[in-house]
Amino acid sequence: RDKNEVRDKQIVRIIGKMSAIAALAYHRATGRTMPSPNVSLGYAENFLYMLDAHSGNVNYRPHPKLARALDIMFILHADHEMNCSTAAMRHLASSGVDVYTCVAGAVGALYGPLHGGANEAVLRMLMRIGSVDEVPRFLEGVKARREKLFGFGHRVYKNFDPRATIIRRVAEEVFQIVGRDPLIDVAKALQDAALSDDYFIKRKLYPNVDFYSGLVYRSMGFPPEYFTVLFAIPRAAGYLAHWRESLDDEDSRIVRPQQVYTGEWLRRYEAMDGRPQVAGGVDALSDMPMSNATRRRLVGSSGAK
């Protein structure tokens, strides 16, 4: 069979199955049985169908505006230049490993709180602030390095992230259907205060795509721990586009980043029992106290006489 045909079939398979796998993970938490996908529906609409069509109700249809809102969110998250997880995808692909391993590795990178988990961090930050009145105190804490500001700043955008503008409009449309999230007022107050403060303006810290997306997902009933899953579903399309492109590149080679060694140049070999403990240095391992589970096991009896 033509290798391009085999390759493209895997792409279609993964994109098609990502939403079903995500729905299955969702229902693992709900305890309900996931309905079979409805092939007559669009991608985002079918995903919502798999979440909410209880007891195999094939006539159930998600609200069209919510399906459209999720579709917009998926489009905005499908791809975005050479980010951390996309770089992981291409790095793995360069070794010739299969595409399923590549996507799994990329999703592993996406799971990090500084990458795909950032919108969850934003939501938890807004919940911690709690009210509009607490915004000034929080920003003072950020400037004093006592607090961390999530959802602001981007490696690419040195002003307002255009995706954030779209998601803010989507948020208002979702609120009209399911009700207004009180944290949106905290988010707006935080944004307005930061954008009028020279400290943040000089550092080019403007709201990014993660700032409002968590509020949209929360309003649609998704738990925070599920946000990265919602990121991974559409981003699979971007990963696979990069994978396909890398396979077509005749000059593609295995990725092997260079690094500059700054450690000690020459060292004599020392046996383990003769090595000094370097306090605070890279050679010293952290103290590893015994866990309670280990203590429980050690105080038990083996049953031998």
Side-chain angles (χ1 to χ4, degrees), residues 43-45 47-48 51 65-75 170 174 216-217 220 222 230:
Y43 193 81
E45 187 180 17
F47 175 60
L48 290 175
L51 299 184
K65 288 188 177 180
L66 292 182
R68 175 58 180 161
L70 189 60
D71 196 35
I72 292 172
M73 298 292 287
F74 279 0
I75 291 171
V170 170
V174 170
V216 173
Y217 290 146
M220 292 182 70
F222 295 111
L230 296 169

Side-chain angles (χ1 to χ4, degrees), residues 251-270:
D251 295 327
S252 181
R253 299 288 185 275
I254 187 168
V255 177
R256 197 176 193 277
Q258 293 183 339
Q259 60 181 171
V260 178
Y261 178 70
T262 59
E264 293 187 43
W265 186 243
L266 292 176
R267 277 176 147 184
R268 292 177 56 84
Y269 175 80
E270 294 285 351

Side-chain angles (χ1 to χ4, degrees), residues 26-27 32 35 47-55 57 60 62:
Y26 181 84
H27 285 302
R32 299 196 301 266
F47 175 60
L48 290 175
Y49 171 86
M50 289 188 289
L51 299 184
D52 298 331
H54 298 170
S55 303
N57 182 4
Y60 175 82

Side-chain angles (χ1 to χ4, degrees), residues 18-291:
M18 282 293 286
S19 60
I21 294 171
L24 190 62
Y26 181 84
H27 285 302
R28 184 176 178 84
T30 66
R32 299 196 301 266
T33 300
M34 186 190 86
S36 298
N38 190 328
V39 296
S40 67
L41 304 180
Y43 193 81
E45 187 180 17
N46 178 54
F47 175 60
L48 290 175
Y49 171 86
M50 289 188 289
L51 299 184
D52 298 331
H54 298 170
S55 303
N57 182 4
V58 296
N59 296 318
Y60 175 82
R61 292 294 181 272
H63 194 293
K65 288 188 177 180
L66 292 182
R68 175 58 180 161
L70 189 60
D71 196 35
I72 292 172
M73 298 292 287
F74 279 0
I75 291 171
L76 293 176
H77 286 89
D79 190 34
H80 197 253
E81 56 98 30
M82 193 59 67
N83 50 74
C84 174
S85 56
T86 300
M89 175 79 183
R90 296 195 71 131
H91 201 138
L92 288 164
S94 73
S95 74
V97 74
D98 66 273
V99 66
Y100 295 90
T101 301
C102 291
V103 172
V107 171
L110 184 69
Y111 176 61
L114 297 182
H115 189 14
N119 53 7
E120 180 181 346
V122 170
L123 184 60
R124 297 193 187 282
M125 173 189 72
L126 294 174
M127 293 170 66
R128 194 168 67 253
I129 295 172
S131 68
V132 171
D133 295 338
E134 291 297 317
V135 168
R137 181 187 301 178
F138 175 78
L139 289 179
E140 289 302 316
V142 172
K143 289 187 278 189
R145 297 176 181 262
R146 295 192 304 272
E147 297 282 359
K148 191 164 184 178
L149 183 65
F150 291 97
F152 280 73
H154 198 277
R155 290 280 185 91
V156 175
Y157 302 114
K158 300 308 177 186
N159 49 32
F160 211 96
D161 185 336
R163 299 171 298 172
T165 304
I166 297 172
I167 292 178
R168 181 170 176 176
R169 291 201 300 267
V170 170
E172 294 296 344
E173 293 173 3
V174 170
F175 295 158
Q176 290 176 11
I177 301 168
V178 299
R180 186 178 181 81
D181 191 319
L183 286 182
I184 191 66
D185 295 324
V186 179
K188 286 182 176 179
L190 181 62
Q191 172 188 302
D192 294 342
L195 294 182
S196 61
D197 191 311
D198 286 340
Y199 178 90
F200 301 101
I201 295 172
K202 289 178 181 178
R203 289 164 175 78
K204 300 186 183 299
L205 295 176
Y206 298 88
N208 59 38
V209 70
D210 300 308
F211 189 64
Y212 286 106
S213 62
L215 290 173
V216 173
Y217 290 146
R218 175 170 124 138
S219 297
M220 292 182 70
F222 295 111
E225 59 269 21
Y226 197 69
F227 290 176
T228 307
V229 178
L230 296 169
F231 198 154
I233 296 170
R235 185 52 64 91
Y239 295 152
L240 293 164
H242 280 271
W243 177 70
R244 194 176 194 276
E245 180 184 71
S246 70
L247 296 183
D248 288 337
D249 185 357
E250 295 180 355
D251 295 327
S252 181
R253 299 288 185 275
I254 187 168
V255 177
R256 197 176 193 277
Q258 293 183 339
Q259 60 181 171
V260 178
Y261 178 70
T262 59
E264 293 187 43
W265 186 243
L266 292 176
R267 277 176 147 184
R268 292 177 56 84
Y269 175 80
E270 294 285 351
M272 289 291 292
D273 57 0
R275 297 180 187 179
Q277 292 296 319
V278 183
V282 295
D283 291 343
L285 292 175
S286 302
D287 291 333
M288 289 176 278
M290 187 181 300
S291 70

